[in-house]
Amino acid sequence: MPESWRLMLPDDMAAVEAVAAVVHPGFFERTEVLTERLALYPEGCRVLERSGVVVGYLISHPWDDGAVPALDTFLHRLPEVPGTCYLHDIALLPEARRGGAGSQAVIELIDRAGRRFPSLSLVAVHGSAPFWERHGLRIEDRPELRAKLASYDENARYMRRIF
């Protein structure tokens, strides 16, 4: 089945919400919060389509280095001088995880982010740190983030790749 990543559109939000409900049932975020991310930085939002059906998404945006936006909260604005491209979320339905679509999206994000930002950062959850390490991100122990990371899960890790 042909699949490809494309820019996310406002009309994709119901499908994005459906993917999030399957992939991240413990990390609820209101549709309005995700819609705001898309409105603030549309070039950082993508969906993975397979035969016309959304089976994954990626949401990223400029942010302050060393900071982690709380889950399910509005950003209201992006920083004037961002220190990082923050990968808010990447999610693929189980049937879309084979074949390298996730790595393809990350490689493309790293390429785009590396041309504009000093770093790429994210919070790794569900034991995904080894995946991110393969893409050049490293765990950073930041004591000031411990409480916020614990709100994700006990194994959440702040990770960053410096360009």
Side-chain angles (χ1 to χ4, degrees):
M1 287 182 253
E3 64 183 23
S4 62
W5 287 95
R6 64 163 173 79
L7 286 172
M8 185 184 292
L9 303 170
D11 289 346
D12 294 319
M13 206 47 65
V16 167
E17 187 176 64
V19 171
V22 171
V23 177
H24 298 307
F27 300 117
F28 174 78
E29 290 193 289
R30 292 168 287 165
T31 303
E32 296 83 7
V33 169
L34 300 178
T35 300
E36 183 205 41
R37 302 280 198 284
L38 174 61
L40 287 171
Y41 196 64
E43 58 267 40
C45 301
R46 304 275 193 279
V47 293
L48 177 63
E49 253 186 355
R50 178 182 286 165
S51 301
V53 177
V54 172
V55 295
Y57 67 87
L58 179 147
I59 298 174
S60 66
H61 57 81
W63 201 239
D64 296 315
D65 187 39
V68 175
L71 285 173
D72 197 39
T73 60
F74 293 102
L75 300 178
H76 302 292
R77 62 171 187 76
L78 298 176
E80 288 183 32
V81 182
T84 193
C85 176
Y86 183 76
L87 178 55
H88 176 77
D89 193 11
I90 182 169
L92 288 92
L93 291 174
E95 62 268 22
R97 293 182 190 156
R98 307 249 188 288
S103 286
Q104 175 192 356
V106 171
I107 290 166
E108 290 172 6
L109 176 62
I110 288 169
D111 181 57
R112 286 190 311 275
R115 286 185 256 135
R116 181 162 177 212
F117 302 98
S119 69
L120 173 70
S121 60
L122 56 87
V123 174
V125 295
H126 303 307
S128 62
F131 171 83
W132 297 111
E133 288 172 335
R134 287 192 298 274
H135 290 285
L137 285 94
R138 299 292 171 251
I139 294 171
E140 291 189 3
D141 183 24
R142 298 206 177 198
E144 70 276 15
L145 294 178
R146 286 186 186 146
K148 193 171 279 186
L149 292 175
S151 72
Y152 286 78
D153 72 36
E154 65 184 31
N155 296 314
R157 299 290 181 261
Y158 178 77
M159 299 186 75
R160 186 168 70 133
R161 177 178 172 156
I162 299 171
F163 298 117

